[in-house]
Amino acid sequence: MERTGTILRGREFDPVEGRVVIDDDGRIEAIEEESVESTDIILPAFVNAHTHIGDSIAKEAGRGLSLEELVAPPDGLKHRLLRDASRDDLVAAMTRSLRFMQEAGTAACLDFREGGVEGVRMLAAAADGLEIDACSFARGSIDAMHAGHGFGASGANDAEFGDEREATRAAGKPFGIHAGEVDASDIHPALDLEPEFLVHVVHPEPDHLERIAEQAVPVVVCPRSNLVTDVGLSPYAELDERTTLALGTDNVMLNSPSMFREMEFLAKLSDLPADEILRMATINGADIAGLEYGLVEPGRAARLLVLDGDSNNLTGARDPVRAVVRRAGVSDVREVVGS
């Protein structure tokens, strides 16, 4: 199997004209540079590095509420709505969000999963039959972590999480934790847990930035969510200078889980270059989760996004990487290879 067009190759997304050759095992066998007729743009499928898709039953609920009123356990609006919904309704709503993500070029999402072991099972049921890796970063118990992909802690001010951290390390799974979303008070305690990644980090102080750099802890940023909840915006350039950044869309209650929208938003409110934002949306999230894709290069799993470079939206674009990050959308998707 092969796909032809402008290929955004490797970690630098060097645009080359040619073909991607895919073997029978679904891996990239070769990238062959040559003149082709196709105007398609071929890039890695996205990895959405932070989601909460359980609240897909409550899209655009909670207008005017604070972050705590919206999502704080146990009595935030989100959690009340989750308790009141049936299992079938929750699974059906999550399936619709996962289907949208797949159609919008996302190969995987890292979901901070409420509901313990049953929550992990519900996400698996929602993803059944879809070609998207819905990775459960479970909460609620060590058993839930064992059932899922890793552990996703709510925040170091909510509990100590020491036992969960040790169990996750022993299981060889990643441990992620929210930190610095509302204020800086939980960043040092989160870093004390030596997590595989932090989420948000809106309010780091100089000593937090130093520790993040020293510990080489990746950070997943969620700019649209942070804007909606009025907690502020992360210091993207300062974080990018010190560590690896990845990109997530956060709560489906608040935002469409579209990586196109997240990339464009970040590109137009920050000084981060387009190629760095595309890495945040692909390989950096894949690396956090230990996935085998995220780049177009030989040996990688062929989870690819093919865009119509001759669409009314993209035709005439002089810089394909900037066009993908700042301009492309779901309507430009021609195909998601590997789905």
Side-chain angles (χ1 to χ4, degrees):
M1 181 169 66
E2 63 183 37
R3 295 293 182 273
T4 62
T6 297
I7 303 158
L8 303 186
R9 181 177 63 184
R11 194 171 291 270
E12 301 304 316
F13 304 113
D14 296 319
V16 298
E17 186 179 2
R19 66 186 69 249
V20 179
V21 181
I22 302 168
D23 66 22
D24 292 339
D25 295 325
R27 292 191 171 275
I28 299 172
E29 181 177 311
I31 298 171
E32 300 174 351
E33 293 188 49
E34 59 183 87
S35 179
V36 296
E37 293 184 1
S38 173
T39 58
D40 289 346
I41 301 171
I42 303 169
L43 63 144
F46 302 128
V47 176
N48 189 337
H50 185 64
T51 61
H52 293 271
I53 69 165
D55 53 9
S56 296
I57 59 161
K59 297 170 186 173
E60 304 309 320
R63 177 181 177 184
L65 298 182
S66 68
L67 177 63
E68 183 175 358
E69 292 169 328
L70 282 168
V71 301
D75 294 319
L77 176 63
K78 162 183 170 171
H79 296 280
R80 298 199 307 272
L81 293 173
L82 290 175
R83 286 195 296 269
D84 290 343
S86 71
R87 184 184 193 277
D88 287 348
D89 286 345
L90 290 169
V91 170
M94 287 192 289
T95 296
R96 297 297 290 267
S97 289
L98 289 169
R99 186 176 295 139
F100 170 79
M101 281 194 275
Q102 180 179 313
E103 293 169 351
T106 295
C109 64
L110 283 54
D111 194 67
F112 272 36
R113 190 88 288 276
E114 295 91 355
V117 173
E118 178 59 15
V120 174
R121 291 172 178 162
M122 289 168 60
L123 183 61
D128 186 39
L130 302 178
E131 294 296 330
I132 183 170
D133 293 324
C135 303
S136 288
F137 283 76
R139 312 178 174 192
S141 70
I142 291 172
D143 287 342
M145 176 274 294
H146 284 297
H149 188 91
F151 193 89
S154 56
N157 287 340
D158 297 335
E160 293 186 357
F161 295 113
D163 292 341
E164 292 85 350
R165 179 63 185 109
E166 288 306 311
T168 307
R169 183 181 285 116
K173 295 183 178 183
F175 178 96
I177 185 168
H178 294 89
E181 185 175 9
V182 176
D183 58 43
S185 63
D186 60 357
I187 300 178
H188 278 314
L191 288 167
D192 290 342
L193 293 165
E194 299 181 345
E196 271 69 43
F197 64 100
L198 303 174
V199 180
H200 295 303
V201 191
V202 176
H203 300 285
E205 296 170 357
D207 54 338
H208 301 126
L209 293 170
E210 289 180 14
R211 283 194 70 185
I212 288 168
E214 289 170 1
Q215 294 180 216
V217 182
V219 174
V220 180
V221 296
C222 308
R224 287 187 300 153
S225 173
N226 295 155
L227 184 69
V228 169
T229 58
D230 198 30
V231 298
L233 296 172
S234 304
Y236 305 111
E238 292 178 82
L239 288 168
D240 186 56
E241 290 173 359
R242 292 165 173 82
T243 191
T244 299
L245 296 184
L247 195 61
T249 61
D250 206 7
N251 296 67
V252 177
M253 177 191 236
L254 307 175
N255 293 300
S256 161
S258 166
M259 293 297 279
F260 288 114
R261 289 190 177 185
E262 206 71 38
M263 288 192 302
E264 179 184 8
F265 189 81
L266 181 58
K268 293 179 178 178
L269 65 78
S270 77
D271 294 325
L272 294 179
D275 60 340
E276 179 60 21
I277 292 173
L278 189 52
R279 278 188 288 275
M280 292 168 63
T282 54
I283 183 58
N284 292 354
D287 284 349
I288 286 172
L291 302 171
E292 294 185 311
Y293 39 87
L295 292 178
V296 186
E297 62 181 18
R300 291 273 180 172
R303 301 297 295 274
L304 306 176
L305 175 55
V306 181
L307 301 180
D308 179 5
D310 194 38
S311 70
N312 290 332
N313 183 36
L314 296 181
T315 188
R318 302 298 181 90
D319 182 328
V321 175
R322 280 177 61 88
V324 168
V325 169
R326 299 171 66 92
R327 181 176 299 272
V330 177
S331 64
D332 300 307
V333 173
R334 185 185 294 283
E335 181 185 12
V336 185
V337 178
S339 66

